[in-house]
Each structure stands twice: as structure tokens, then as C-alpha cells.
């Protein structure tokens, strides 16, 4: 499969002719969306050169990109022509920029959408996913699909592994766990294989790989971005968000993808009240930490988990956050016993997700124009029929069977959901309100389950590299609709620290 993909990339490059001349006057490495737009205006790079740069950077070793869009160059040429014709009407920051989508985000084009599974190869979506449609409306192209952990968070397969794409690696230290399930997106952004990317999160799937690959990940409030046309896990928790090299890039992408979608009406309708009139760009403020109240809950930044050295880096960051004008409140508890509460949350989340997964996946499959599999039962049968390709012996799919045994959102799932809601209200929500917090700060994706069950937003920003060179992140999370203030804090922190550096592909 990787062979095929790269042959395709090579063919595209050959057809287009030599591609490196473009970059002579404009370095596309680490180029931001703003720099790219300025370049477009000045004539270099063109959208086409941007795509060629991405194709040139595709690294087969990393397994981050599962499919390249055969129409990526044609899209770019169209964008170039549009800009030449009417430069003022092509003002969207993503106009002419090709976006890489996680492989669970459906597109109505020549790309497959499979959640990494061979079972869905050849399926045809009725239309682009809601977020993809918004990107195209902004004039962005679709570069291709990023390798996900197969079936996203709902799997017993290893982080970053899929039957279609193989094992994703971290471009920083190849032997480390790239984390899941949006690791292909994170890695492609980190290694400059794509200008910007989209990931999805049910519980940690944006925050974790972003942290482990030194990129910025935004996990939006559930419903802020449409889930229509995205292979689901749990409509209660699923959300789609940007994974980019800078906060500013991620905010440009967020601006493009948020909004009401009739095909995800309830959630997007409820969350659209959070979208600011003039978009999120106004919150990219250097003084964004000033006057904020930030809580550091107990049990996250500990020497046991992170060791003396890394803990010291985190403590320095917290001191810097204070220096930049935030009030930091330490020693507050989300739970009396964090481990215990997290265990209860994970187990109830699992119970709820079994029922939600079957119901929502079957709905997704039945909406396809064509699909080789029509239900979860078909996928289980497919895996049984292809045990070698799907590595059934190594990664049996016990949860698929458990999910198949559910019948709608029954009393057991309902009780689990009720408990999750109560623990969220009495936990993070109560903590934030009582202390009038703008955010809680936690390491990497360690607070993920609290954000997940509450449908709450969080942003992770690069925070450092350990002794081996493995990246780690710092995460600002808050209540539903807190994106504006989280962006302010994340941006101010990023600008004050500038931790991100390019990957070194260490073994
Ligand atoms: C989609 O999958 C089919 C196999 O069913 C393959 O032939 C095709 O090349 C894939 N599309 C792309 C763009 O890779
Ligand atoms: C917290 O709960 C865990 C798991 O139930 C238990 O092992 C641990 O001893 C508890 N810690 C404290 C301080 O009570």
C-alpha cells in the first residue's frame, strides 16, 4: 500500500516537472499560513508549488499520509487562476492552501475514507464532510488523507497503527509511540508534509499526538465543528479540530471549519452561540495571559509521572505564565482521588461508547452512496474473512463484538451517560466555576477524559523535549465555548516560549 501511494506522488511530481525551483526565494519549511498568503500575493510560492513541496516532503518511513489526492495539483492550479482573476475575492487565509484530513473525514472525490480499515476501501460518500465542505468553500484544497489509528479511539490496536497505512512514527524520535489516533495528521504537520491538517478527538486523539509531535492541537467544544460525514465513535464526545505548527495557523483553520450544519443540527445549533462575530483571529494576543485565572489541579504535574527534569521545565512554564500576568491557583482538586475517578470515568465512557459506536457507525454506513460493508456486523465479518491483513490475531477486536451486542442506547448505556454527566458537572465544571477559572493547565493530554466527557475544549502547545528528544506539551482546557480565552492564553504562551523546533528523525 505505501508503495502505491508513493508511486502516485512520484507520478504527480513527474507530470508537473521539477518542483524545487520554487522554494529558492521562499522557504516553505515551517511556513505559516500568513507567510504563505503573503507569498501568494507576491507571486511565490504559488498554490501549486505549495502542493509540490508537500509531495516532495512525503516520507514513506513515517506512514503519516495514507493517500494523496490525485486532484491536488488541479485544485491548486484552479486556486492560482482564481487569484489572478480576482485577487480581492480570494481573501480567505486558507485560499489556495491544501489541507490534509484524517482518514475518517469523508470526501466526495477520488480519495477513500476508511478510518484506516480495509473494510471501507472503495466506499463512496454522498458528499464532503461538513468540515471539508467548509474548507472547500474557503478556497482551500484537499491534499490527501492522514493515517489514523484504525477505527480511531475505539480500538485495541496500537497507537498510530492501521491495516491500510501501517505504523505511524514520530518524526522526532522514530522509536517512540506517536500516540493516537490523529497521529498521521500531527506527524505530517510536524514534518512539514502538509501546511495544515485536521484531526478528530473522542478522548485524547488530538491532544495526545499533537503533544507527542510538537504541534498545536485544538480540540473544539463538541458541536462547534460539524461531525457530519466523519466516521463516528461517540456523537456525545466526537469533535474535529486543527493540528498545526502554530497557534495562529490552527486558529485560521478553526475559523474556516466552525459553524452550523443542518446534517449535525442539534450539536452545531447548540454550539453556534459560542462563535464570535469576527472570528477567532482577534484573540491572537501577545498579552493574552494577562488577568487570566488559571487553575493547576492536583495530581497531574508530579515527579512520579514526569521525573525531576521535565517537572522543572513545567514549573518554569508556570512561573512564566504568572510573570505574564495570570493569576495561577495551585493545589485545587478535580477529585479527591484522581486515579479512582479517572478509572470510573474511563469505564463508564467505555460502556456508553459501545452503544453509541454501533448506532452512529451504522447510521454513517447507511448514508454512504456505496459501501462494501453496510453495518458493524459486516465489518466484524470482513475482519474475520481478512485476519492476516487486519492482523486479527495480534489486535483482536473484542470491543466490536461487545458493541455489536448492544441494542440502541439501552438502560446500561443511559445510566453510564447519566453518571458521566453528573461527574462532569460535579468535577471540572464545579471546580472552574467555584474558582472562577478561565482555564486549567495540565500536561500533554492528561486531562483528556475530563474535557471529553464534558464536551469541553482544550488546546495543547509545544512545551519541551525530554532527554531523548521526545516532545511534550502543555494543555489549556476550559468550559464549553471558552475557545476565545484559551486561544489568548495558548498564543501568549507560545509567543513567550517558542518551544517548537523541526524534527530530527532520530532513531
Ligand atoms: C482508493 O482505493 C482504491 C481501491 O479500492 C484505489 O484503487 C484508489 O487508488 C484509492 N484512491 C486513492 C486516491 O488513493
Ligand atoms: C486512589 O485510588 C486508587 C485506585 O482505587 C488506589 O489504589 C489508591 O490507593 C487511592 N489513593 C489514595 C491516596 O487513597
Amino acid at each position: 500500500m505505501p508503495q502505491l501511494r508513493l508511486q502516485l506522488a512520484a507520478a504527480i511530481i513527474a507530470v508537473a516537472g521539477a518542483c524545487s525551483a520554487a522554494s529558492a526565494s521562499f522557504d516553505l519549511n515551517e511556513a505559516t499560513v500568513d507567510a504563505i498568503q503573503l507569498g501568494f500575493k507576491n507571486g511565490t510560492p504559488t498554490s501549486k508549488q505549495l502542493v509540490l513541496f508537500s509531495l516532495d516532503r512525503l516520507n514513506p518511513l513515517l506512514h503519516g499520509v495514507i493517500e494523496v489526492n490525485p486532484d491536488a495539483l488541479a485544485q491548486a492550479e484552479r486556486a492560482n487562476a482564481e487569484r489572478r482573476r480576482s485577487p480581492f475575492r480570494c481573501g480567505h487565509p486558507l485560499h489556495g492552501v491544501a489541507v490534509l484530513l484524517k482518514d475518517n473525514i469523508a470526501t466526495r472525490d477520488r480519495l477513500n475514507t476508511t478510518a484506516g480499515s480495509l473494510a471501507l476501501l472503495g466506499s463512496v460518500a454522498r458528499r464532503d464532510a461538513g468540515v471539508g465542505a467548509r474548507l472547500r468553500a474557503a478556497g482551500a484544497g484537499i491534499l490527501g488523507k492522514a493515517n489514523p489509528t484504525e477505527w480511531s479511539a475505539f480500538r485495541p490496536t496500537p497507537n498510530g497503527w492501521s491495516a491500510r497505512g501501517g505504523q505511524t512514527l514520530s518524526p522526532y524520535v522514530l522509536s517512540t509511540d506517536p500516540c493516537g489516533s490523529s497521529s498521521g495528521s500531527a506527524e505530517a504537520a510536524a514534518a512539514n508534509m502538509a501546511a495544515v491538517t485536521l484531526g478528530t478527538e473522542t478522548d485524547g486523539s488530538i491532544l495526545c499526538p499533537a503533544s507527542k509531535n510538537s504541534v498545536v492541537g485544538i480540540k473544539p467544544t463538541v458541536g462547534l465543528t460539524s461531525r457530519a460525514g466523519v466516521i463516528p465513535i461517540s456523537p456525545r464526545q466526537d469533535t474535529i479540530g486543527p493540528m498545526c505548527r502554530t497557534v495562529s495557523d490552527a486558529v485560521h483553520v478553526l475559523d474556516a471549519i466552525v459553524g452550523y450544519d443542518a446534517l449535525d443540527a442539534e450539536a452545531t445549533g447548540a454550539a453556534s452561540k459560542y462563535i464570535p462575530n469576527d472570528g477567532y483571529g482577534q484573540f491572537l494576543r501577545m498579552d493574552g495571559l494577562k488577568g487570566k485565572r488559571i487553575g493547576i489541579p492536583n495530581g497531574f504535574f508530579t515527579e512520579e509521572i514526569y521525573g525531576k527534569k521535565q517537572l522543572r521545565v513545567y514549573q518554569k512554564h508556570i512561573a512564566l505564565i504568572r510573570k505574564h500576568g495570570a493569576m495561577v491557583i495551585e493545589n485545587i482538586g478535580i477529585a479527591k482521588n484522581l486515579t479512582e475517578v479517572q478509572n470510573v470515568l474511563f469505564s463508564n465512557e467505555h460502556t456508553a461508547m459501545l452503544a453509541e459506536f454501533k448506532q452512529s457507525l451504522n447510521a454513517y454506513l447507511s448514508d454512504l452512496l456505496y459501501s462494501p460493508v453496510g453495518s458493524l456486523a459486516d465489518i466484524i465479518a470482513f475482519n474475520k474473512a481478512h485476519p492476516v491483513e487486519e492482523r486479527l490475531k495480534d489486535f483482536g477486536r473484542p470491543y466490536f463484538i461487545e458493541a455489536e451486542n448492544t441494542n440502541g442506547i439501552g438502560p446500561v448505556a443511559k445510566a453510564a451517560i447519566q453518571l458521566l454527566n453528573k461527574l462532569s458537572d460535579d468535577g471540572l465544571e464545579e471546580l472552574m466555576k467555584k474558582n472562577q477559572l478561565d482555564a486549567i493547565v495540565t500536561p500533554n493530554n492528561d486531562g483528556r477524559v475530563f474535557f471529553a466527557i464534558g464536551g469541553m475544549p482544550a488546546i495543547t502547545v509545544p512545551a519541551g523535549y525530554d532527554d531523548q528528544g521526545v516532545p511534550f506539551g502543555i494543555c489549556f482546557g476550559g468550559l464549553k465555548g471558552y475557545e476565545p480565552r484559551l486561544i489568548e492564553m495558548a498564543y501568549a504562551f507560545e509567543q513567550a516560549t517558542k518551544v517548537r523546533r523541526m524534527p530530527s528523525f532520530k532513531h
Side-chain angles (χ1 to χ4, degrees), residues 63-242:
H63 294 194
V65 178
I66 206 167
E67 257 181 37
V68 171
N69 189 351
D71 299 317
L73 280 174
Q75 285 172 5
E77 273 168 2
R78 232 172 11 247
N80 283 343
E82 272 168 23
R83 258 197 315 276
R84 272 197 303 274
R85 266 199 317 274
S86 49
F88 299 109
R89 274 204 277 143
C90 303
H92 195 283
L94 292 184
H95 186 275
V97 176
V99 183
L100 185 72
L101 308 182
K102 183 177 173 182
D103 180 48
N104 59 348
I105 302 173
T107 47
R108 178 82 166 99
D109 54 14
R110 290 203 273 167
L111 291 160
N112 295 289
T113 306
T114 67
S117 166
L118 295 165
L120 273 175
L121 205 52
S123 66
V124 180
R126 212 169 273 281
R127 55 186 88 75
D128 282 332
V131 289
R134 284 189 178 268
L135 287 173
R136 291 207 218 254
I142 305 295
L143 181 65
K145 297 283 170 78
N147 191 17
T149 303
E150 188 167 323
W151 292 116
S152 204
F154 198 80
R155 42 79 201 177
T157 50
N159 276 332
W161 179 87
S162 75
R164 283 195 63 212
Q167 178 63 56
T168 317
L169 305 177
S170 162
Y172 288 86
V173 180
L174 299 176
S175 56
T176 44
D177 180 350
C179 209
S181 65
S182 308
S183 42
S185 308
E187 172 206 284
N192 278 271
M193 297 191 283
V196 293
T197 75
L198 285 191
T200 72
E201 170 147 343
T202 306
D203 187 339
S205 283
I206 288 176
L207 298 177
C208 193
S211 304
K212 284 293 197 85
N213 289 283
S214 210
V215 295
V216 174
I218 301 184
K219 173 219 186 271
T221 301
V222 167
L224 199 67
T225 50
S226 166
R227 291 85 49 79
V230 178
I231 299 176
I233 307 270
S234 159
R236 199 173 35 77
Q237 294 184 196
D238 292 348
T239 183
I240 292 86

Side-chain angles (χ1 to χ4, degrees), residues 245-493:
R245 292 183 291 273
T246 66
V247 175
S248 159
D249 282 1
V251 164
H252 284 314
V253 175
L254 184 68
D255 264 330
I257 61 174
V258 297
Y260 176 76
D261 183 349
L263 297 172
D264 185 12
E266 201 183 322
T268 56
S272 56
K273 63 174 176 285
Y274 299 128
I275 302 170
N277 276 335
D278 297 319
Y280 291 100
Q282 59 186 307
F283 304 109
L284 298 168
R285 298 169 52 113
M286 293 293 285
D287 64 351
L289 283 162
K290 207 168 153 189
K292 296 292 192 300
R293 288 174 64 87
I294 295 178
I296 312 275
N298 291 330
F300 288 95
F301 293 101
T302 70
E303 200 175 310
E304 269 166 282
I305 305 173
Y306 287 106
K308 261 202 178 70
K309 243 171 133 176
Q310 196 168 328
L311 190 61
R312 216 173 308 131
V313 176
Y314 276 130
Q315 283 163 344
K316 262 185 155 157
H317 287 325
I318 290 164
L320 175 138
I321 286 171
R322 278 205 172 95
K323 213 182 94 204
H324 283 257
M327 159 87 90
V328 178
I329 301 145
E330 294 188 71
N331 296 319
I332 52 175
I334 290 190
K336 277 212 188 72
N337 182 333
L338 189 60
T339 317
E340 198 170 75
V341 165
Q342 280 175 326
N343 288 342
V344 170
L345 295 180
F346 285 130
S347 107
N348 281 280
E349 187 188 49
H350 181 75
T351 302
M353 270 166 32
L354 290 171
E356 291 166 338
F357 178 61
K358 178 183 178 186
Q359 195 177 54
S360 55
L361 178 67
N362 285 346
Y364 171 88
L365 294 172
S366 64
D367 193 42
L368 293 170
L369 265 187
Y370 167 78
S371 176
V373 287
S375 64
L376 177 58
D378 287 352
I379 291 168
I380 294 169
F382 177 93
N383 287 344
K384 257 197 197 142
H386 301 83
V388 177
E389 298 90 326
E390 287 287 344
R391 295 197 45 194
L392 215 51
K393 222 186 209 159
D394 300 328
F395 319 134
R397 310 292 199 278
Y399 303 151
F400 277 29
I401 315 283
E402 281 183 52
E404 182 54 28
N405 288 337
T406 65
N407 190 5
I409 311 293
V412 178
K414 265 194 197 130
I417 292 167
Q418 254 170 27
L419 182 63
L420 290 173
N421 289 341
K422 179 176 166 21
L423 291 174
S424 183
D425 292 348
D426 298 350
L428 184 51
E429 181 128 10
E430 164 79 11
L431 178 83
M432 300 233 10
K433 287 187 170 154
K434 201 173 71 194
N435 292 285
Q436 296 177 306
L437 299 178
D438 295 298
I440 60 161
V441 165
T442 46
N444 298 316
N445 72 333
D446 296 1
R448 68 185 187 279
V449 75
F450 297 99
F451 308 131
I453 61 161
M456 297 170 185
I459 305 181
T460 181
V461 182
Y465 305 85
D466 72 11
D467 283 344
Q468 276 72 50
V470 178
F472 54 89
I474 193 164
C475 180
F476 298 83
L479 297 180
K480 284 182 184 173
Y482 274 22
E483 279 83 359
R485 54 188 110 176
L486 297 181
I487 289 166
E488 287 181 340
M489 290 177 264
Y491 181 72
F493 175 84

